Amino acid sequence: MPELPEVETVRLGLADHVVGQRITAVEVLHPRAVRRHAGESADLASRLAGKTVTAARRRGKYLWLDVADHTDDAALVVHLGMSGQMLIARAGAPDHTHLRIRTHLADGNELRFVDQRTFGGWHVDEHVPDPFMPENASAATDSDDGVLPRVPASIAHIAPDPFDPGFDTSAVVARIRARHTEIKRALLDQTIISGVGNIYADEALWLARLHGTRVTDTLSPKKIRELIDAATDVMAQALKVGGTSFDALYVNVNGQSGYFERSLNAYGREGQPCRRCGRIMRREHFMNRSSFSCPQCQRRPRM
């Protein structure tokens, strides 16, 4: 599934091509693509028609478009799932295979949601105040009128990611140390810190020289901060090249794939030498997934 850098790459493309555009019509071509929407397909289409896209936003791996007209504003929440793509095409261009939703824009382009596996989808949601934003925090990133940033109601439980203006590293360190769980589980818990998925968790753990089964309340605040910084750094590096791509399903709005996999130090490197010490990297089962680590640099905790 796409992680923060991949979703941010898509968001940046939407900000360039869709923000400021008026939606003239929406066609839902597959019912599963709107199964999370509270109403029928026609309701989603009517909620969006005539509205202007005012912003493209993201929290962690969650993506949404702010839309508004003179009577209403809402959030169009996009779940990319395992294979969802948000693509820009000129009206009349041949349809993409697995096209699920077509959105007509006033400039003559179409925003197309393509999803081979149909695990993703769209729904229209209401905005609520961001519960993670301190009451006295500046809202300068959204407006200058003192209104705190808002998020879609369905993702209000998702914690800020390391690139969020409201991210508080000290608070995240405290939340992690308050748990008694494996550090990789904490790193993947989107209610503690969002945006980190399996790939970048393994990369951050390798950089911090931590095994993923280390227990959170046995780690020092300094070590947890080092891990958070490592996750931030590796995601920032991936973002520079458009994210990580292992197959043709992840693309940005122009259909281009990321290529950060060339720089991975841990994920997917089973049987290869550690880039730091030369020991052979190992693969272990973890939560129906795989974890990759170095037996020398990332020693297992003693039982």
Side-chain angles (χ1 to χ4, degrees):
M1 294 180 69
E3 299 188 24
L4 184 154
E6 292 78 52
V7 178
E8 176 64 5
T9 299
V10 174
R11 188 200 70 79
L12 291 170
L14 293 172
D16 287 341
H17 294 280
V18 178
V19 171
Q21 291 298 317
R22 183 170 58 86
I23 297 170
T24 59
V26 177
E27 300 174 59
V28 178
L29 306 175
H30 196 296
R32 277 186 57 81
V34 295
R35 66 190 180 280
R36 295 179 179 87
H37 184 68
E40 301 289 336
S41 299
D43 181 73
L44 179 137
S46 66
R47 285 292 306 274
L48 296 177
K51 286 185 169 57
T52 296
V53 180
T54 59
R57 302 194 186 279
R58 177 195 55 74
R59 168 156 286 179
K61 298 180 279 187
Y62 294 82
L63 175 70
W64 73 93
L65 298 175
D66 287 339
V67 296
D69 58 22
H70 65 285
T71 63
D72 182 33
D73 72 89
L76 170 58
V77 181
V78 177
H79 295 262
L80 295 175
M82 295 182 69
S83 60
Q85 301 170 1
M86 298 282 278
L87 302 174
I88 302 296
R90 196 66 185 166
D95 285 352
H96 295 78
T97 305
H98 310 300
L99 177 61
R100 307 307 186 192
I101 302 174
R102 185 200 320 274
T103 302
H104 299 268
L105 304 175
D107 66 354
N109 286 327
E110 295 176 357
L111 173 61
R112 297 178 175 183
F113 181 65
V114 176
D115 188 5
Q116 176 179 323
R117 297 169 182 163
T118 63
F119 291 154
W122 291 9
H123 73 271
V124 177
D125 205 352
E126 304 302 325
H127 289 105
V128 297
D130 182 356
F132 289 93
M133 182 65 68
E135 292 185 3
N136 62 351
S138 170
T141 55
D142 261 26
S143 65
D144 295 321
D145 58 6
V147 178
L148 293 178
R150 300 181 301 161
V151 296
S154 58
I155 66 169
H157 63 291
I158 300 298
D161 62 70
F163 302 97
D164 193 302
F167 187 77
D168 184 339
T169 302
S170 297
V172 174
V173 170
R175 286 201 294 270
I176 290 175
R177 294 196 77 240
R179 305 288 180 97
H180 180 77
T181 188
E182 296 175 348
I183 185 60
K184 185 171 180 180
R185 291 178 184 270
L187 201 57
L188 294 175
D189 187 338
Q190 303 297 297
T191 66
I192 297 177
I193 175 174
S194 69
V196 184
N198 200 41
I199 295 174
Y200 298 115
D202 279 358
E203 293 300 300
L205 289 163
W206 184 87
L207 287 170
R209 299 173 182 256
L210 281 173
H211 192 273
T213 58
R214 291 284 300 275
V215 178
T216 52
D217 55 6
T218 66
L219 296 172
S220 69
K222 179 180 179 181
K223 195 63 180 178
I224 295 175
R225 184 179 290 270
E226 180 184 343
L227 177 63
I228 293 171
D229 289 344
T232 305
D233 289 345
V234 73
M235 289 191 293
Q237 291 299 316
L239 182 56
K240 289 180 181 179
V241 295
T244 304
S245 182
F246 288 101
D247 61 34
L249 290 178
Y250 167 64
V251 295
N252 65 16
V253 296
N254 294 316
Q256 298 168 321
S257 294
Y259 55 90
F260 187 66
E261 74 273 13
R262 301 176 188 175
S263 303
L264 294 175
N265 289 307
Y267 189 86
R269 300 196 69 246
E270 178 187 14
Q272 300 179 48
C274 173
R275 300 190 197 277
R276 188 164 45 209
C277 74
R279 287 288 297 274
I280 298 301
M281 299 289 289
R282 65 192 167 196
R283 172 182 175 271
E284 301 167 281
H285 291 291
F286 173 78
M287 294 174 61
N288 296 319
R289 311 180 204 182
S290 294
S291 285
F292 300 88
S293 61
C294 172
Q296 177 66 31
C297 299
Q298 300 167 267
R299 303 216 172 193
R300 298 174 187 269
R302 293 181 178 178
M303 301 301 291

